[in-house]
Structure formats: C-alpha cells, structure tokens
Amino acid sequence: MAVISTVASFGQKLNNVKYPQTKKGETVDFYFDTKVQDPYRWLEDDKSAETAAWVKEENEVTYDYLSKIPFRNELKSRLQKLWNYEKIGSPSTEGNFSYYFKNNGLQNQSVFYRKDISGKEEVFLDPNTFSKDGTSSLGEMDFSKDGSILAYSISEGGSDWRKVIIMNTLNKKIVEDTLVDVKFSGLSWKGNEGFFYSSYDKPKGSQLSAKTDQHKLYFHKLGTLQKEDQVIFGADQKRRYVGGSVTDDDNYLIISAANSTYGNELYFKDLTKVNSPIVAIVDNFNSDNSVIENEGSKLYIETDWNAPNKRIVTVDVSNPRPENWKDFIPESENVLTPSTCGGFIFANYIKDAVSLVRQYDYSGKLVRNIQLPGLGTAGGFSGKKTDKTVYYSFANYITPGTIYALEPQYGESAVYQKPKVDFKSEDYVSKQVFYTSKDGTKIPMMITHKKGLQLDGKNPTILYAYGGFNISLTPSFSIANAVWMENGGIYAVANLRGGGEYGKKWHDAGTKMQKQNVFDDFIAAAEYLIAQKYTSSSFLAIRGGSNGGLLVGATMTQRPDLMKVALPAVGVMDMLRYHTFTSGAGWAYDYGTSQDSKEMFEYIRKYSPVHNVKMGTQYPATMVTTGDHDDRVVPAHSFKFAAELQEKQSGSNPVLIRIDVKAGHGAGKSVEATIQENADIQAFTLYNMGFKALPKQ
C-alpha cells in the first residue's frame, strides 16, 4: 500500500554545487507491518514531464561542474587518440562469403564487412547509418542455413526492446516487414524456412519500466506476418526467460526456460518429424544446463547438476533424463566453460580468474592443451563443426586483445590480427594477490599499474568489482584503463563472492542472506590496498556497474570513510522494489525479495543503498551514471539514490548524477559517448582527489 500526499523541496550548495530542488512526497509502503517512506517515488514515472525536467536540471548541474575541470578535455583528447586504431573481429563463413566486423578507429559502431571468394571486400551492413547520433546499434544476428538470408536485430537508444529485420544477403534488400517488440531474444534459423525468437507481450503503461514476466518462444515463417507467428513454448507455461536454438544439423530445437538468472529447465523438439512433442530433458530449476552440441541423436550437455564447477555429459534423445547422463568431461577443481567448433570441443577453464584451454575430440580424448601467450583471458573457440580454422582471442589488463588462428587438426596457432595500439605493455605490470576477507575467506585481486610505482599511499586508484549472478571477472584490456594508468593510476579488480570464478559454491556464498559477504569482500579489498600502501582513502575510488552499482552503493553507505570517490553505474539501488520493474523479478535467486519473508525484508533493507543514506553523513565525492532508456535496471534506481545523497550529504564532497540521454544499460553505446563518459569519470575522480592537472609521471 502506498500513499502520496503533500510535497516539500530542498536546495543545497555544497562545494560550490547548487543542486536542483527535488520535491519530496509522502509515499509510505508497509512491509510486514514496518513502515518505509519512499519520498522520491515520483521519479519512477519515466513518462512524466516532471521527471524529464528533473533529469534536464540534474544534467545541467553535472555538465556545468565537469566543464570546469581544467584537464577534462585533455583526458578526452588522449582517449580519442588511443582509441583511434583499427579493430577487426574474427571471420565466419556464411554461404560463399566471409563476414567480419571492422572499426576504423573512432566509428561509433563497428561495421559488418564481407569478402567473396576472390577476396573482394565490401561493406555489408553499417550500423552507423541506423541513426544520425550513433544511438542505434546492431544486436543479435543469424544467417539461414545456406547463408542467403540474414535476420538481425536493432536496439534504439540502448533499449532491450528490439526490432528484427530480414535481408536477402545477395542483393542486400529487405525481404519482408520488420518484426517489432522483441526482447531478450536470440535468433536461430531452421534451414531457410524461418527462425525462432523470443519476446514478451508488450506491457501496459511504460515500455521502459513496466513488469515483464511471461516470455514466449515464437517461430517466424518467412513470407508471413508477425501476428501469424506460432508460439512454440510459453503460452501455457509462465516463464520469465525462454530461449530456443536449432542444432547445426537442423534436427533438433533446444529450448531453455527459467524463472530466475540461475537454474533452467531444458527441452528438445525433433524437427525432423511433423508435430513432434516437446520433450523434457530437465524439468526443474535446480541447475544450469545447456546443450552445446549433438552428434546424431547424442546430445552433449553442459551442466552444474551434481557438479558445482560444471561438467559435460552425453545422453541419447531417446532417454534424455539426468539419470541417463554419462560423464564426457567430468567436473574438475576449475570452473568449466566449453565451446565447440572445427570438429572439436574446447574446454575453457577458469583457474584463479585466468584461462586454461584444453582441446578434446568427440570421443572424450584429450587432444592437447592450447598454449596461450600468457596469463589472461582466452575467448572465442566458436564456429561451425566444418570449420578448418578456429579463431580465438587473448587479452589481459596490459595486453590489447589479439586474435589468433588455430588449425585444430595440428594445434598450430598464429596471430591473425594484432591491434596497433599506442600503449607500451612492457612499461606496466599486472599481478595477482590474495587477500583475506572479514570471515577469513581468501579473495583474489589483480592489481595493474606502471612499473616502478612508489608504495607511498598517494597513488590514485580505481577499485572495480561485480560480485553477482555467477559472472566471472577475467583479465581484459581497456583503452580507458590504459589512459588511467598512463597518468599514474592503479587499476585493481577484485573477484568477489557472488561471481562465478570458483563455481556455484562461490556464487551462492554471495546471494540472498549471504549478500553481505560481497560487500565485506569489497571493503577488505580496499583495506588491503590501503594497508599495502598502494593508495589511501584520500586517493581511492570504487567503481561498479549494474549489480556492481549496487555493490558501490552499499559499500559507500556502509563505509563512507573508506574512499574519496564513488562511481556507481546503472545500479540496482532500491532493493525493496527492484522486482517490480521490467524483468527484475528474475534476479531473486541472487537477491531474494522484500516480499519473501520478514527476515528477508529486514536483511535487504539493511543494505539497500536508497534506504541507508543518513542525514548529516559525509559521503565520498559521488558521480552516479545511468541512461534514461535503461529498461533493465530502470534509471529510477539511480535517480532516487542521487536525490537521497544530495539531500543528506554533509561536507564539501559533490554528489552528481550523469544521465545519458537516448542510452540504455550500456550495450551498443557509441564510441563517442563511451569516450566522453570515461573522460568525465576520470576527470571527476582525479579532480576530487585534489589534482588540478593530470599527474606527471
């Protein structure tokens, strides 16, 4: 129950920043007879002129502040210069063409090219033509079996809602009407007949924030209208996430269905038989499962059922239930992520957050260990079973992503594409340390910086983490981080509980009523960096996005003394109401909800960032970032958190909110917008650490 009545307003001047007046309502909710005020509930209405005006005023304040930082433009120029190098993706063969992405350096969106048999190159699809301002981006893509038709999706303004366009690849002409209102969907062709996709019924009210919780799998037959598309799964079974993919041989449709971000049902449908039934392989949500390959009627399944670090099993479609599964690659001490291509299975293991890759044949025999260039992250190893060459990438925090070509029959790798980046990797060092969290758990952290760093506690440091949803943070290269380190900064990444670095047990140790472990791990990482004199509280910034935004929000409200700067991005900040927006209810495996029980409500409320901002507290200099079209973590989370901080902040540290217009949760953001955002973040961070010019190293 909620009641909205009279409003109040406030305006403060801190650090020469005069914040907009943000009205306060008297909205009250009751959770298990506990009264909880929600004065900024009105900011949840993304369709109101009042919210739009607030966004405009807050942005004016933020950009006025940023414009006065003397080295902001210098940072932007250096980012642009470093970013301006050619980037080429791995090629794939479709029909008689080889397709790949390429960016000449500063193009807002990478361009999709192709070459014919003679090697003649042409632009096939240029997402930069989708919109004048670079805010429309290319999403999912899938070619028909013979490569003659392409289905691809487009996101506008960063939204998760997509439209799907169907193109004849030979003449590049659109062949039929565009599909609309498609969300959280792959695209998977059945021969040349049509393709499977997923979506929700269009919600009533705001398409950006209204709840969506019944996903459906459809089949679109070429030459028919979207309204005629057949619902394959989800009409009678209410599931929040449903996806379908066709095996390479076109024999089976594999269906995954889930209600949360962990645990899924698994089904198959025999496409070789008319009106064949949908058959359950796994009929519960107690494990994560996916079919990665088939050979005839034998399925190869990746699963963490009875294997927290994952394993691969095989089973025949005639008796596919788990009791008939046979180990193909058993569970090991390291977390497994497999992929298939070139007639082999590549087992990519995470060992202390870095990659180890082993190549197996289809009998389960170990063919070889793939020799990687060093400690870092190997990705790719995907493609068709018939591919003669396999491509993979390698990167770490000081090595720009390089693509390698591997001949799987012989095990020989060669550099396929090495980027020419104006960055001297040999001048930097990246090392892994293990520190102790509050309860004695050992946590890995990668610390990267220039060689010869003085451990005097005065180095500007960004501590980054995520800690949720079974996601592993493995080493990667970033131009933004390169510029940060060029200017004497340290970049540290902590692999907190809640992530997937050590399997399901590690994930579960940071969920629901163990979520505080994640914040404790992050706090302990900061304390380690300070104790070892890498930095000090005066030179420490904490940063994270989405679930990592929650991490930053919870940490800065629990330990505002620990850092000088806080940078929460697109964060889940209102933990009492997150499940009422878009697909938020699907995150309950990690968080629980305020409706589950009184005990869960009280636990969540204790760390919910919006509900733990205290009047008269000196919080760190804070720049909240979000997008006005974020329909995954709705911007109201960030709006309400910023309003609370601006009202209650004590002292001179500024609290700003930077709201990207026509932007979403981050995917598909233009290069121009990405560069400007990183320049603003680094300028704000260094300026609030006391730097009046870029540090000279």
Side-chain angles (χ1 to χ4, degrees):
M1 296 289 292
V3 180
I4 302 177
S5 57
T6 59
V7 300
S9 65
F10 70 90
Q12 281 182 289
K13 194 171 184 179
L14 296 175
N15 194 17
N16 297 319
V17 180
K18 189 173 190 311
Y19 302 121
Q21 291 188 333
T22 304
K23 78 173 186 181
K24 294 180 68 177
E26 293 187 356
T27 307
V28 174
D29 289 325
F30 289 90
Y31 299 88
F32 304 98
D33 298 323
T34 299
K35 178 181 177 182
V36 178
Q37 295 181 331
D38 192 359
Y40 300 115
R41 176 73 60 85
W42 64 274
L43 286 169
E44 293 179 2
D45 186 356
D46 55 76
K47 298 179 76 173
S48 79
E50 201 170 22
T51 301
W54 184 88
V55 167
K56 183 174 183 291
E57 290 176 9
E58 288 284 351
N59 268 343
E60 287 172 353
V61 169
T62 296
Y63 287 110
D64 179 66
Y65 180 97
L66 293 170
S67 70
K68 294 173 182 175
I69 298 176
F71 47 83
R72 178 195 187 203
N73 289 335
E74 187 180 349
L75 273 169
K76 182 180 179 182
S77 295
R78 181 56 181 154
L79 282 162
Q80 286 175 325
K81 184 177 179 181
L82 223 61
W83 219 289
N84 192 12
Y85 67 93
E86 187 177 64
K87 307 161 190 72
I88 301 175
S90 301
S92 64
T93 300
E94 304 291 347
N96 295 321
F97 295 91
S98 174
Y99 292 87
Y100 52 94
F101 280 99
K102 184 167 70 173
N103 192 306
N104 64 19
L106 294 175
Q107 288 174 291
N108 275 326
Q109 306 289 341
S110 292
V111 179
F112 199 41
Y113 284 82
R114 73 177 177 186
K115 288 181 181 178
D116 60 20
I117 297 173
S118 70
K120 180 184 176 182
E121 182 183 70
E122 68 171 333
V123 172
F124 178 69
L125 196 59
D126 185 358
N128 297 290
T129 64
F130 294 170
S131 61
K132 291 182 179 179
D133 57 4
T135 59
S136 293
S137 60
L138 192 58
E140 295 288 328
M141 305 174 68
D142 196 45
F143 288 86
S144 62
K145 190 71 174 178
D146 65 2
S148 65
I149 309 171
L150 170 69
Y152 64 93
S153 66
I154 292 177
S155 168
E156 296 171 319
S159 174
D160 282 332
W161 289 97
R162 310 286 171 89
K163 60 184 181 183
V164 177
I165 296 171
I166 304 163
M167 174 191 285
N168 181 312
T169 61
L170 299 179
N171 57 25
K172 295 190 281 188
K173 291 184 178 179
I174 307 304
V175 297
E176 59 179 64
D177 291 344
T178 296
L179 276 62
V180 297
D181 299 328
V182 176
K183 186 173 183 180
F184 293 162
S185 179
L187 303 170
S188 188
W189 281 85
K190 176 188 175 186
N192 299 319
E193 178 184 344
F195 57 88
F196 296 92
Y197 70 95
S198 307
S199 196
Y200 303 90
D201 293 335
K202 194 170 183 178
K204 297 177 181 178
S206 170
Q207 192 163 321
L208 291 177
S209 60
K211 191 172 183 177
T212 50
D213 62 358
Q214 186 168 0
H215 217 197
K216 299 175 185 177
L217 178 67
Y218 294 87
F219 180 70
H220 176 73
K221 186 176 181 180
L222 277 184
T224 64
L225 298 175
Q226 184 179 6
K227 66 181 181 180
E228 298 170 1
D229 290 352
Q230 179 186 1
V231 178
I232 305 299
F233 187 96
D236 301 319
Q237 312 93 335
K238 187 174 182 180
R239 304 289 186 266
R240 290 195 181 97
Y241 309 110
V242 177
S245 61
V246 179
T247 56
D248 277 353
D249 59 11
D250 262 356
N251 286 348
Y252 302 104
L253 169 66
I254 307 299
I255 301 171
S256 173
N259 281 326
S260 193
T261 49
Y262 176 80
N264 68 293
E265 300 166 322
L266 194 62
Y267 302 87
F268 80 90
K269 178 179 173 65
D270 189 339
L271 297 178
T272 67
K273 299 176 181 177
V274 178
N275 297 323
S276 62
I278 292 174
V279 179
I281 303 171
V282 178
D283 62 0
N284 60 70
F285 305 105
N286 299 328
S287 55
D288 268 348
N289 312 278
S290 63
V291 174
I292 62 169
E293 183 62 282
N294 75 299
E295 275 202 312
S297 63
K298 181 195 285 187
L299 302 179
Y300 293 77
I301 300 173
E302 172 193 354
T303 182
D304 66 0
W305 180 62
N306 289 339
N309 288 345
K310 295 188 179 181
R311 58 180 172 144
I312 299 176
V313 299
T314 59
V315 72
D316 194 272
V317 296
S318 60
N319 291 290
R321 300 304 293 270
E323 57 266 26
N324 299 313
W325 291 359
K326 295 179 180 178
D327 270 1
F328 176 74
I329 298 179
E331 181 188 24
S332 77
E333 62 182 357
N334 300 314
V335 179
L336 169 65
T337 302
S339 56
T340 64
C341 56
F344 294 92
I345 294 174
F346 292 87
N348 197 334
Y349 291 96
I350 299 176
K351 180 176 174 59
D352 294 332
V354 299
S355 294
L356 296 172
V357 183
R358 294 177 180 141
Q359 179 183 345
Y360 291 86
D361 65 19
Y362 279 84
S363 71
K365 177 186 174 184
L366 175 65
V367 177
R368 63 179 59 87
N369 294 318
I370 303 299
Q371 297 301 311
L372 300 176
L375 296 178
T377 303
F381 297 103
S382 61
K384 295 182 174 62
K385 189 180 291 188
T386 55
D387 288 345
K388 301 301 181 185
T389 303
V390 169
Y391 297 91
Y392 67 92
S393 62
F394 178 83
N396 57 36
Y397 292 115
I398 59 176
T399 304
T402 299
I403 297 174
Y404 291 82
L406 167 70
E407 294 187 28
Q409 290 289 347
Y410 309 106
E412 297 175 0
S413 287
V415 172
Y416 174 77
Q417 196 270 334
K418 184 176 182 179
K420 297 177 181 178
V421 185
D422 183 19
F423 178 78
K424 296 180 179 179
S425 299
E426 63 272 16
D427 292 344
Y428 296 81
V429 61
S430 187
K431 68 176 183 178
Q432 188 174 61
V433 301
F434 289 82
Y435 65 90
T436 304
S437 191
K438 183 177 181 180
D439 64 357
T441 302
K442 293 292 184 182
I443 312 292
M445 176 165 58
M446 297 290 287
I447 305 173
T448 310
H449 54 77
K450 270 188 176 179
K451 290 179 178 177
L453 184 84
Q454 297 297 310
L455 298 181
D456 58 6
K458 296 181 180 179
N459 301 298
T461 299
I462 291 177
L463 173 60
Y464 181 88
Y466 187 79
F469 295 94
N470 201 33
I471 291 173
S472 300
L473 293 186
T474 59
S476 61
F477 184 80
S478 158
I479 291 296
N481 293 338
V483 170
W484 175 258
M485 293 186 295
E486 272 189 348
N487 289 310
I490 295 173
Y491 185 69
V493 178
N495 298 104
L496 316 179
R497 282 174 285 184
E501 291 86 353
Y502 295 102
K504 189 175 187 300
K505 292 178 181 177
W506 192 255
H507 174 208
D508 286 347
T511 60
K512 295 187 175 73
M513 297 188 73
Q514 298 188 90
K515 187 67 179 175
Q516 184 60 39
N517 285 338
V518 184
F519 313 136
D520 290 342
D521 291 353
F522 201 43
I523 290 167
E527 291 175 335
Y528 175 90
L529 293 168
I530 292 168
Q532 299 299 315
K533 297 190 180 300
Y534 283 99
T535 191
S536 61
S537 293
S538 298
F539 294 96
L540 176 64
I542 59 172
R543 186 177 182 184
S546 196
N547 174 75
L550 162 63
L551 172 68
V552 171
T555 302
M556 65 180 283
T557 50
Q558 290 182 18
R559 286 292 305 277
D561 60 306
L562 191 57
M563 73 294 299
K564 181 61 180 176
V565 178
L567 302 165
V570 293
V572 188
M573 300 303 197
D574 185 342
M575 295 304 298
L576 299 186
R577 286 179 54 74
Y578 79 86
H579 59 288
T580 66
F581 303 112
T582 62
S583 58
W587 312 335
Y589 182 90
D590 264 56
Y591 297 148
T593 77
S594 57
Q595 297 175 335
D596 289 348
S597 66
K598 184 176 183 181
E599 186 182 25
M600 183 67 80
F601 154 68
E602 290 173 346
Y603 186 89
I604 291 172
R605 187 188 183 193
K606 192 174 180 180
Y607 72 78
S608 176
V610 163
H611 300 94
N612 284 280
V613 181
K614 297 178 176 61
M615 185 68 77
T617 301
Q618 180 166 312
Y619 292 101
T622 303
M623 187 158 73
V624 180
T625 52
T626 189
D628 68 344
H629 277 62
D630 191 340
D631 46 11
R632 192 172 309 176
V633 180
V634 295
H637 284 282
S638 294
F639 295 173
K640 292 163 76 171
F641 187 55
E644 290 283 352
L645 285 169
Q646 288 180 351
E647 176 191 7
K648 295 173 180 176
Q649 172 74 305
S650 172
S652 60
N653 291 330
V655 173
L656 306 177
I657 180 167
R658 185 187 185 280
I659 306 158
D660 266 338
V661 178
K662 293 179 71 176
H665 200 60
K669 184 177 288 190
S670 72
V671 166
E672 181 181 10
T674 301
I675 288 173
Q676 186 63 69
E677 181 180 55
N678 278 287
D680 289 349
I681 286 170
Q682 292 188 27
F684 177 85
T685 300
L686 290 170
Y687 189 68
N688 280 284
M689 289 176 177
F691 293 94
K692 303 305 179 188
L694 290 181
K696 301 299 180 183
Q697 299 295 322

